[in-house]
């Protein structure tokens, strides 16, 4: 298949859903986690859960990079904007993430020089255009966005741009999955592997899930047929007693990953000893920092960034939703105090956050039909 339309073909979608219904054991309950926030968005957008048998449960994992960033790191980045010489830049989905004193957008409205960019190269360009200012890029994301940050830093070094730096918050998907697997309150049968991350790291890093934990993994694309095919592949593995890593998203994901991107990351980054994740706590070697030779472009070296731990609002149950323990509408604040217009928790900000996806594609539809379960 070559075109998006084919992956949204109603006939093929219904045929795949019927194959799933024929394949399952009606006496068994299946719990399958989609790690990627993009998959969560697609599941809610296309109503895929409604096509699945009731005993096939999709569990939403910590695959939204905006959502897993703890409030202390948000506050640390925003503290840089207090320096009148600093222009703080960030991706659009970071602009509304709440810190203790407000989101970047709210601080911007109060006078801080915080600007949205579409790529770290935009931030580097801004630094070259404003040689009398310090431009800091608030870097977030899994391995998907880390190569663009790495390549920008290599370019900054090559050009000798001294007024550009990066506040690095890139995190890694594999340690997060391992932490979920080791969690005593998490019972999962299989994983839908992340598509975007896998275009960079490939499929091999997930082999430990099948080998050490006996859980099938299928790397999936993001269209409705992609996801249903991936679920079908998982169910076949479970029925046959297999636990393997399979690649449904072959049109975009090479088994070995993107080698030039991986080389750029290896040149620029090294592992942090530990890093705090919202909802998952501290996970060892789960995030990246700049190597010592890139210290001139490291915001945490050049500026006094406070390393403060901040507890999320007690009523917001982001951690439980991130770990798949709760569904979005089971949070006490969902759809009431916490909405996309006035988010209290980070999961209500990004379109890939489980709460925002559920709110837009399920909650509002149910409200229009006369009732919600939120």
């Amino acid at each position: 298949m070559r075109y998006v339309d084919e992956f949204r073909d109603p006939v093929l979608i219904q045929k795949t859903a019927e194959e799933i219904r024929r394949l399952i054991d009606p006496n068994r309950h299946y719990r399958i986690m989609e790690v990627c926030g993009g998959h969560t968005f697609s599941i809610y957008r296309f109503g895929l859960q409604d096509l699945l048998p009731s005993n096939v449960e999709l569990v939403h994992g910590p695959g939204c990079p905006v959502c897993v960033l703890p409030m202390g790191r948000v506050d640390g980045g925003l503290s840089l904007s207090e320096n009148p010489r600093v222009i703080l830049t960030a991706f659009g989905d970071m602009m509304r993430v709440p810190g203790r004193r407000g989101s970047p957008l709210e601080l911007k409205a109060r006078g801080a020089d915080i600007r949205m960019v579409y790529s770290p190269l935009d931030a580097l360009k801004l630094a070259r255009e404003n040689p009398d200012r310090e431009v800091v890029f608030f870097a977030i994301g899994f391995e998907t966005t880390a190569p663009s940050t790495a390549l920008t830093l290599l370019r900054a070094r090559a050009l000798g741009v001294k007024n550009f730096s990066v506040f690095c918050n890139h995190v890694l998907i594999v340690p997060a999955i391992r932490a979920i697997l080791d969690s005593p309150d998490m019972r999962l049968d299989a994983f839908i592997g992340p598509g975007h991350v896998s275009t960079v790291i490939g499929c091999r890093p997930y082999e430990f899930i099948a080998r050490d934990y006996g859980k099938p993994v299928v790397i999936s694309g993001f269209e409705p047929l992609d996801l249903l095919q991936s679920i079908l592949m998982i169910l076949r593995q479970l029925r046959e007693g297999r636990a393997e890593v399979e690649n449904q998203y072959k049109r975009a994901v090479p088994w070995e990953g993107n080698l030039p991107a991986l080389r750029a990351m290896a040149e620029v980054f090294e592992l942090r000893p530990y890093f705090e994740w919202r909802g998952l706590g501290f996970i060892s070697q789960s995030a990246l920092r700049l190597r010592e030779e890139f210290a001139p472009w490291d915001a945490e070296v050049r500026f006094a960034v406070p390393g403060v731990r901040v507890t999320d609002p007690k009523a917001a149950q982001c951690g439980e939703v991130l770990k798949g323990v709760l569904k979005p509408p089971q949070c006490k604040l969902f759809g009431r105090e916490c909405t996309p217009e006035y988010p209290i928790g980070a999961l209500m900000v990004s379109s890939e956050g489980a709460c925002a996806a559920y709110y837009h594609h399920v909650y509002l539809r149910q409200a229009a039909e006369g009732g919600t379960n939120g």
Side-chain angles (χ1 to χ4, degrees):
M1 294 185 179
R2 296 171 56 194
Y3 304 107
V4 170
D5 288 349
E6 295 175 280
F7 288 91
R8 299 182 183 181
D9 186 317
V11 175
L12 293 174
I13 288 171
Q14 287 295 337
K15 180 180 178 180
T16 306
E18 289 171 8
E19 287 187 63
I20 289 172
R21 286 190 286 271
R22 287 196 298 268
L23 193 64
I24 63 165
D25 178 352
N27 298 313
R28 177 177 180 177
H29 187 82
Y30 302 86
R31 300 188 86 235
I32 302 171
M33 174 175 278
E34 85 279 356
V35 178
C36 180
H39 286 153
T40 303
F41 174 83
S42 293
I43 287 165
Y44 284 138
R45 177 188 179 192
F46 296 111
L48 297 185
Q49 186 70 66
D50 296 338
L51 295 176
L52 298 174
S54 59
N55 58 334
V56 177
E57 179 185 358
L58 298 180
V59 180
H60 316 308
C64 167
V66 168
C67 303
V68 300
L69 194 64
M71 193 175 287
R73 292 294 291 185
V74 176
D75 283 350
L78 292 179
S79 71
L80 297 170
S81 68
E82 297 172 3
N83 185 331
R85 294 189 63 242
V86 168
I87 301 172
L88 181 64
T89 62
F91 289 144
D93 54 359
M94 269 302 302
M95 295 297 285
R96 294 173 57 248
V97 177
R100 282 182 300 177
R101 296 188 297 110
S103 67
L105 201 59
E106 290 170 326
L107 266 64
K108 178 180 176 68
R110 297 174 202 155
D113 197 345
I114 303 176
R115 308 186 193 184
M116 187 185 80
V117 293
Y118 291 99
S119 80
L121 281 172
D122 290 341
L124 179 59
K125 180 182 178 183
L126 194 62
R128 298 181 71 189
E129 293 172 347
N130 295 269
D132 58 331
R133 303 285 299 278
E134 293 286 341
V135 176
V136 180
F137 175 61
F138 197 136
I140 64 164
F142 288 92
E143 292 94 334
T144 313
T145 55
S148 63
T149 302
L151 291 168
T152 301
L153 285 162
L154 289 169
R155 184 164 179 78
R157 183 175 68 174
L159 294 173
V161 181
K162 300 299 185 182
N163 64 323
F164 171 76
S165 58
V166 169
F167 179 53
C168 185
N169 295 277
H170 287 298
V171 291
L172 306 176
I173 195 65
V174 166
I177 295 175
R178 190 183 293 274
I180 289 169
L181 284 163
D182 289 338
S183 176
D185 58 352
M186 181 52 58
R187 298 180 305 278
L188 296 169
D189 294 295
F191 289 88
I192 299 173
H196 292 146
V197 166
S198 301
T199 63
V200 176
I201 68 172
C203 304
R204 195 175 299 279
Y206 308 111
E207 289 179 341
F208 81 97
I209 302 172
R211 182 186 64 246
D212 300 339
Y213 293 89
K215 310 291 184 185
V217 181
V218 176
I219 314 300
S220 177
F222 295 87
E223 295 300 324
L225 192 56
D226 284 321
L227 285 157
L228 290 175
Q229 286 178 342
S230 298
I231 293 167
L232 181 61
M233 292 165 70
I234 285 171
L235 294 172
R236 283 175 178 156
Q237 285 199 47
L238 292 171
R239 182 169 182 172
E240 296 167 7
R242 294 185 291 118
E244 301 172 6
V245 178
E246 294 183 308
N247 184 10
Q248 183 274 339
Y249 202 26
K250 290 181 180 179
R251 66 186 187 275
V253 175
W255 186 265
E256 299 294 340
N258 185 327
L259 298 182
L262 292 171
R263 282 195 293 268
M265 289 171 59
E267 184 175 355
V268 172
F269 300 121
E270 63 184 10
L271 291 173
R272 292 181 185 267
Y274 58 88
F275 191 79
E276 184 183 6
W277 293 58
R278 189 189 298 262
L280 297 175
F282 284 93
I283 305 176
S284 63
Q285 298 186 326
S286 65
L288 300 173
R289 66 184 180 190
L290 273 61
R291 291 188 178 275
E292 186 177 353
E293 52 265 41
F294 287 89
W297 296 275
D298 190 341
E300 292 183 81
V301 174
R302 296 182 58 182
F303 302 96
V305 180
V308 180
R309 291 197 68 192
V310 180
T311 304
D312 283 337
K314 290 184 179 180
Q317 296 172 283
C318 294
E320 288 86 348
V321 177
L322 274 172
K323 291 188 292 184
V325 176
L326 293 181
K327 301 292 187 183
Q330 293 174 313
C331 175
K332 299 171 184 176
L333 302 184
F334 179 88
R336 300 178 181 91
E337 293 89 345
C338 188
T339 66
E341 290 76 20
Y342 301 99
I344 294 176
L347 277 73
M348 193 61 91
V349 176
S350 169
S351 63
E352 293 190 355
C355 292
Y358 186 95
Y359 185 94
H360 285 298
H361 298 290
V362 180
Y363 181 82
L364 291 181
R365 172 174 54 82
Q366 291 178 342
E369 293 171 353
T372 69
N373 58 2

